[in-house]
Amino acid sequence: MASKRKTTIKDIADAAGVSVALVSFVMNNMSGGKYRVSAKTTKKILSISEELNYQPNNAARSLRKGRSNTIGVILSDISNPFFSDIARCIEDKAYQYKYTVIFGSTDEDAGKLDNLIKVFINKGVDGLIIVPCNGSRKHIEKVLEANIPLVLLDRTIPDLEVNHVTLNNKKALALAVGNLIEGGSRKIEMISYAWSVSNIAEREAGYQHTMKQFSLSENIRIHRLKYKNIPDQMEKVVTEAVNKGAEALVFATNTLAIAGMKTLCKHNLRVPDDIAVVCFDSSEAFELYYTTVTYIKQPVEQFGQEALDLLVKAIGQKEQTKCSTITLNPELVTGKSSSRK
């Protein structure tokens, strides 16, 4: 049995009694130009195209326009709720712009980031949204040199002119540490990562600045964990902190927070009676915890929307050299975990 022939623009033109050029004009949603198409004719053409189940040849259209209407989004770890929620926001917003999104995760590996960038560029993406990882500067610079529209998300690279959307991380830690101090803690330690990425560096700076501001410089202590094998490292760090009299812990990320809370439970340490806690981002796991958890809330939806808006703008204005930077504000959600009073 012969397969059914695919509907063409000529089929629609014949059925509507208009020219192929006019149908092409309407289907491509062009503005200006030779034709002025009435609303009635436009409606008729679109109605017939739907009846005939017309499917546009997007590959051919991309070649004509020089665009694929596809963007690449490279995250740190799409299984991380923070990044997966942002990914969903980007995808929803991209749909409104008629863009398709392809995703990848680096697992904080600069080599993997480089490979993903090459794959996405070979697929003809119109632009990229990237969460840069440690050691990724040269790979980001190559994207800029190739004049590919780019927005960095969550982190940026110091002294590099590039569009980015980030959080006010110093403010976030000032809120966290200030809340712990208000709750009666003085020996406040921070559990962070051994990374040289901007958001971690800014959070550590915010912690240190706030401790100094409250004349607690002698109590500043940052534990820096490697990305791999976090539970074992957390076990050692939490035990050491408690044995040396830490009154509170502030976690630099949600992954560290969850691992830290599990460790505290394992050792039957009561929060906040034995040690107070402020986490970064919420988690469904906190809903099952015996006490409410104080945490820094990031504007996830705004992260996704602002990044996508910036990228679409950059795609439309590829020759523009001025970069746009957006800094989002954190919010402190107060629970009982941070007060020892």
Side-chain angles (χ1 to χ4, degrees):
M1 184 177 175
S3 60
K4 188 176 179 180
R5 186 175 67 85
K6 188 175 180 180
T7 301
T8 66
I9 285 180
K10 186 176 186 304
D11 295 329
I12 299 171
D14 291 342
V18 298
S19 70
V20 170
L22 186 58
V23 173
S24 179
F25 175 85
V26 171
M27 299 307 295
N28 284 292
N29 195 27
M30 297 163 65
S31 60
K34 180 180 176 182
Y35 299 96
R36 293 183 181 276
V37 188
S38 69
K40 182 178 179 181
T41 301
T42 298
K43 185 177 180 180
K44 181 179 180 182
I45 290 172
L46 293 176
S47 177
I48 290 172
S49 71
E50 189 173 342
E51 288 174 13
L52 297 177
N53 193 29
Y54 172 69
Q55 299 295 322
N57 187 334
N58 289 324
R61 183 181 294 179
S62 297
L63 287 172
R64 290 195 301 272
K65 291 185 174 182
R67 290 188 187 175
S68 64
N69 282 91
T70 302
I71 61 171
V73 177
I74 303 176
L75 305 169
S76 167
D77 178 5
I78 203 165
S79 69
N80 182 320
F82 172 66
F83 289 119
S84 61
D85 288 347
I86 287 179
R88 184 55 195 260
C89 292
I90 290 173
E91 191 171 38
D92 289 345
K93 185 76 173 178
Y95 179 77
Q96 296 174 21
Y97 280 116
K98 301 189 186 317
Y99 274 94
T100 299
V101 187
I102 51 178
F103 294 97
S105 294
T106 65
D107 298 319
E108 301 297 344
D109 184 328
K112 191 172 180 182
L113 171 63
D114 184 40
N115 183 64
L116 284 167
I117 288 172
K118 290 174 181 175
V119 170
F120 285 6
I121 290 174
N122 286 337
K123 286 183 177 294
V125 295
D126 295 331
L128 291 166
I129 295 174
I130 296 176
V131 177
C133 56
N134 195 27
S136 62
R137 184 185 187 97
K138 62 183 179 181
H139 307 309
I140 300 300
E141 287 177 337
K142 286 179 183 177
V143 175
L144 294 174
E145 289 167 6
N147 199 30
I148 294 166
L150 171 66
V151 174
L152 297 187
L153 178 70
D154 185 45
R155 309 165 184 171
T156 187
I157 296 178
D159 305 319
L160 194 64
E161 285 292 315
V162 58
N163 299 309
H164 65 258
V165 181
T166 56
L167 186 75
N168 187 335
N169 289 291
K170 291 182 180 178
K171 180 178 179 180
L173 266 292
L175 290 171
V177 174
N179 181 260
L180 287 167
I181 291 171
E182 185 181 336
S185 296
R186 294 295 179 270
K187 294 182 178 179
I188 303 166
E189 300 187 7
M190 182 176 184
I191 299 183
S192 184
Y193 276 122
W195 290 341
S196 58
V197 291
S198 66
N199 59 344
I200 296 299
E202 289 163 6
R203 291 172 193 179
E204 290 183 3
Y207 160 74
Q208 292 172 317
H209 175 78
T210 310
M211 291 290 282
K212 290 175 182 176
Q213 196 175 32
F214 283 88
S215 302
L216 296 172
S217 297
E218 70 278 8
N219 293 337
I220 291 175
R221 188 165 188 181
I222 301 175
H223 304 271
R224 297 183 176 94
L225 278 61
K226 296 178 181 178
Y227 185 65
K228 300 292 176 69
N229 199 24
I230 291 173
D232 287 346
Q233 295 177 79
M234 188 65 71
E235 179 88 16
K236 180 180 177 181
V237 163
V238 168
T239 302
E240 181 183 327
V242 171
N243 289 342
K244 291 190 176 181
E247 297 172 339
L249 295 173
V250 56
F251 297 98
T253 70
N254 56 352
T255 301
L256 291 172
I258 293 169
M261 298 293 267
K262 285 181 179 178
T263 303
L264 292 173
C265 285
K266 180 180 176 181
H267 289 272
N268 296 315
L269 291 164
R270 298 285 296 178
V271 174
D273 300 334
D274 295 322
I275 193 160
V277 164
V278 174
C279 298
F280 220 95
D281 293 317
S282 181
S283 167
E284 291 182 359
F286 296 163
E287 296 175 13
L288 304 174
Y289 211 60
Y290 57 81
T291 189
T292 53
V293 177
T294 299
Y295 65 92
I296 295 295
K297 181 180 179 181
Q298 301 190 74
V300 171
E301 187 172 338
Q302 196 176 359
F303 258 115
Q305 291 181 349
E306 295 285 7
L308 203 280
D309 284 341
L310 271 187
L311 185 63
V312 170
K313 181 180 176 183
I315 291 170
Q317 303 173 352
K318 286 187 74 171
E319 303 308 316
Q320 186 173 327
T321 55
K322 187 177 180 181
C323 294
S324 298
T325 60
I326 296 174
T327 304
L328 306 180
N329 281 313
E331 176 187 347
L332 183 75
V333 178
T334 307
K336 294 179 181 179
S337 70
S338 56
S339 179
R340 292 166 57 85
K341 291 181 179 179

